[in-house]
Amino acid sequence: MRALIAGNWKMHGTSQALDEVRKLAAKAQDLACELLLCPPATLLERAVAASGGRLAIGGQDCHWERAGAFTGDISAAMLVDAGARAVILGHSERRQFHGESSTQVQNKARAGQEAGLMTIVCVGESEAERQAGQEKAVVGEQLAASLPPLSDPQNCAVAYEPVWAIGSGRTPTLEEIAAMHGFIREGLCRLLGPAGEAMRILYGGSVKPANAVEILATAEVGGALVGGASLKADDFLAIARAVTGKINQDAPTVR
Ligand code: PEP
């Protein structure tokens, strides 16, 4: 399986940003990783068209129901209909600003998987939780409660994103990243059995071209979830180029 480099544009981007998608698409085929871009929902269909099928496009959230009276929400089937191949779920900004619980994240991930989307399930501790030495307890709990039981490497990846590293320019040390990814791997194997052995664990939080090589070479890091540095194609591509080989031999999943 190749490393997955996923970009999260959050609430950034109008029509002009499609130029960045075109730039990415022009280079995406030369990369050793799988590239995924998650623009705002308003750009999804146009990003799919601009990508020319050369990189995968995904959503940033979906509802757990297939349809219904949920004003402002988007179902997994709607994402698929717009051409999305993947969806980010349980991002800390959704947990923090929309009060999403791990149970809701699990239901959303189940809906995404049933619709055929690759689900990226985010977990991560706050700064206070790390300072109190509770980071593993918090992440372990989020993992157990957020992952649908039928998750496997083809329909799911976990993103470890320490909340304090997101958009802050700060990152954990490589030792801290390796320790948490190793802990998540153990949790995945316990929760999912053999399916947990090959599931990609992405690191997210202030990944940029200058630190991508060392982070992506860290044990159990199977890719990256990138916010700010995914907004410019050149930076995002520089991060993607930091991936030089396969992390194991399975088929690609989001193309
Ligand atoms: C994110 O929001 O998922 C993220 C990792 O952001 P940034 O790369 O900007 O820290």
Side-chain angles (χ1 to χ4, degrees):
M1 183 173 282
R2 294 191 296 169
L4 173 62
I5 305 295
N8 173 14
W9 275 7
K10 311 190 185 191
M11 199 171 72
H12 295 288
T14 52
S15 333
Q16 292 117 301
L18 294 168
D19 284 344
E20 301 303 314
V21 181
R22 288 184 202 100
K23 281 191 214 166
L24 289 175
K27 305 282 180 195
Q29 304 292 289
D30 310 333
L31 299 169
C33 62
E34 288 181 51
L35 202 61
L36 166 70
L37 185 68
C38 301
T42 48
L43 285 182
L44 266 179
E45 281 202 70
R46 283 177 289 165
V48 170
S51 77
R54 293 193 292 274
L55 74 143
I57 302 295
Q60 298 176 10
D61 180 44
C62 72
H63 201 276
W64 55 83
E65 294 289 350
R66 285 166 196 235
F70 302 104
T71 302
D73 281 315
I74 297 174
S75 73
M78 290 170 183
L79 290 180
V80 171
D81 186 51
R85 308 278 183 85
V87 62
I88 299 169
L89 295 165
H91 190 283
S92 65
E93 288 151 16
R94 300 287 316 173
R95 292 180 189 261
Q96 191 182 344
F97 302 129
H98 296 264
E100 283 187 10
S101 67
S102 289
T103 305
Q104 289 172 328
V105 174
Q106 186 186 49
N107 289 335
K108 289 175 174 212
R110 185 182 294 112
Q113 291 172 5
E114 284 173 2
L117 293 168
M118 170 75 182
T119 54
I120 300 178
V121 176
C122 304
V123 296
E125 82 285 357
S126 68
E127 182 149 40
E129 287 161 346
R130 180 164 278 267
Q131 278 167 357
Q134 291 171 348
E135 66 274 15
K136 286 188 175 163
V138 169
V139 167
E141 226 169 81
Q142 287 179 341
L143 199 65
S146 304
L147 280 181
L150 294 182
S151 300
D152 64 37
Q154 311 304 315
N155 67 16
C156 189
V158 171
Y160 168 56
E161 299 207 301
V163 179
W164 50 274
I166 294 177
S168 67
R170 295 159 57 209
T171 56
T173 64
L174 298 178
E175 290 72 26
E176 287 167 339
I177 293 174
M180 184 59 87
H181 280 233
F183 173 76
I184 291 172
R185 175 69 62 211
E186 283 168 23
L188 289 175
C189 292
R190 205 172 39 250
L191 291 165
L192 305 172
E197 285 169 23
M199 188 172 290
R200 288 175 291 195
I201 307 169
L202 316 183
Y203 168 78
S206 296
V207 177
K208 50 193 176 200
N211 61 18
V213 170
E214 57 183 19
I215 289 175
L216 288 164
T218 300
E220 296 291 6
V221 173
L225 181 52
V226 185
S230 69
L231 292 170
K232 289 278 161 240
D234 288 345
D235 288 344
F236 194 38
L237 284 167
I239 292 169
R241 288 191 188 106
V243 175
T244 50
K246 292 185 180 185
I247 52 175
N248 69 41
Q249 300 301 312
D250 295 343
T253 50
V254 290
R255 291 243 171 119

